[in-house]
Amino acid sequence: MKKWSMTQNLTFREQLEGGIRYFDLRVSSKPGEAGHEIYFIHGLFGHKVRDGLNDINNFLNIHKKEVVFLDFNHHYAMGEEHHRYLIKMLQDVFGHKLCRIDVVEEITLNYLWENRYQVLVFYHHPSAEGCPVMWPGSKIPAPWANTTDTTKLIQFLETTLGERAKYGSFHVSQAILTPRVKTIARGLVQGLRNYLVERNLPTIMTWVEAQKPGKDGVNIITSDFVELVDFANTVIKLNTLLIKDRDTK
């Protein structure tokens, strides 16, 4: 099952060095384990969250102008004490780097650099309400296609882009195929990467390359196994379209 639970081969550090700046994070305690330790989880338990956060923070300490989005959108087996533990951990690790909640349109790179902010944390749980550096999940919707079919995925991405709010929130386009039980059964030995992702990536990347960023287009795009193609650079290059638009006005 490990082959079907893993969605990335690269570590946080390797993804950051490759240009990735948004992380979709699911976390959990280990039932029956003493204390409040939190782990990354996706079908199977991964590393301790604290270790991953420290890796990210170490990168940010070296690269003072880089900014990351940490989207904690699923929490499993976590009571109030676990949430308090995780929120405090985020504050302890990142400290002044945490961007305070503000009007989304005000969050420019210049604004972040002036305030020495490098981390936006989105916390999809009521436990974070009232904490000025834990952005609510409603500020970063990430519609999920839940399909193994690339045609349906792209139709879904186009539809949700057309429906996205033009102001007041970020937006994640999940260019990701999701295996069903029968998909896993058919490709049990091969795994997610070999059975589903690799053969469909060219179609997905063709869609990505055709996008335009901005309030009428894409904002954040996610993909599995980003190292299989030049994903980060392809997305980053889309920003040149904004520069061209600005220069022609």
Side-chain angles (χ1 to χ4, degrees), residues 206-218:
T206 297
W207 179 83
V208 171
E209 290 165 357
Q211 298 313 297
K212 182 178 179 179
K215 62 184 178 66
D216 294 314
V218 292

Side-chain angles (χ1 to χ4, degrees), residues 4-18:
W4 284 97
S5 296
M6 286 183 63
T7 57
Q8 304 292 345
N9 279 331
L10 304 181
T11 64
F12 278 119
R13 178 84 190 192
E14 289 168 337
Q15 290 185 66
L16 287 163
E17 290 175 344

Side-chain angles (χ1 to χ4, degrees), residues 32-33 48 90 117 134 185 194 198 206:
E33 182 179 270
K48 291 180 181 179
L90 287 160
Y117 293 148
M134 297 289 118
N194 295 331
E198 283 188 343
T206 297

Side-chain angles (χ1 to χ4, degrees), residues 215-228:
K215 62 184 178 66
D216 294 314
V218 292
N219 179 210
I220 297 167
I221 308 175
T222 63
S223 177
D224 290 335
F225 298 107
V226 292
E227 78 282 0
L228 292 179

Side-chain angles (χ1 to χ4, degrees), residues 148-174:
T148 58
D149 186 296
T150 51
T151 301
K152 290 181 180 177
L153 171 64
I154 289 168
Q155 288 174 347
F156 179 85
L157 291 170
E158 292 287 350
T159 299
T160 51
L161 273 179
E163 296 171 348
R164 68 166 283 205
K166 295 187 186 301
Y167 304 99
S169 69
F170 299 96
H171 181 89
V172 180
S173 296
Q174 296 197 63

Side-chain angles (χ1 to χ4, degrees), residues 12 23-31 36-53 70-79 82-87 89-90 121-125:
F12 278 119
F23 295 96
D24 174 332
L25 305 170
R26 294 106 192 277
V27 295
S28 178
S29 70
K30 284 187 178 179
H36 303 109
E37 200 61 66
I38 308 297
Y39 299 83
F40 294 114
I41 189 170
H42 194 259
L44 302 173
F45 285 105
H47 297 293
K48 291 180 181 179
V49 170
R50 185 179 296 277
D51 293 339
L53 299 183
L70 305 181
D71 191 359
F72 288 85
N73 50 53
H74 287 75
H75 307 82
Y76 302 101
M78 290 176 61
H82 292 103
H83 284 287
R84 283 196 293 270
Y85 177 83
L86 178 53
I87 291 168
M89 183 196 304
L90 287 160
V121 173
F122 298 85
Y123 204 92
H124 298 238
H125 194 273

Side-chain angles (χ1 to χ4, degrees), residues 124-137:
H124 298 238
H125 194 273
S127 298
E129 290 177 4
C131 182
V133 291
M134 297 289 118
W135 291 64

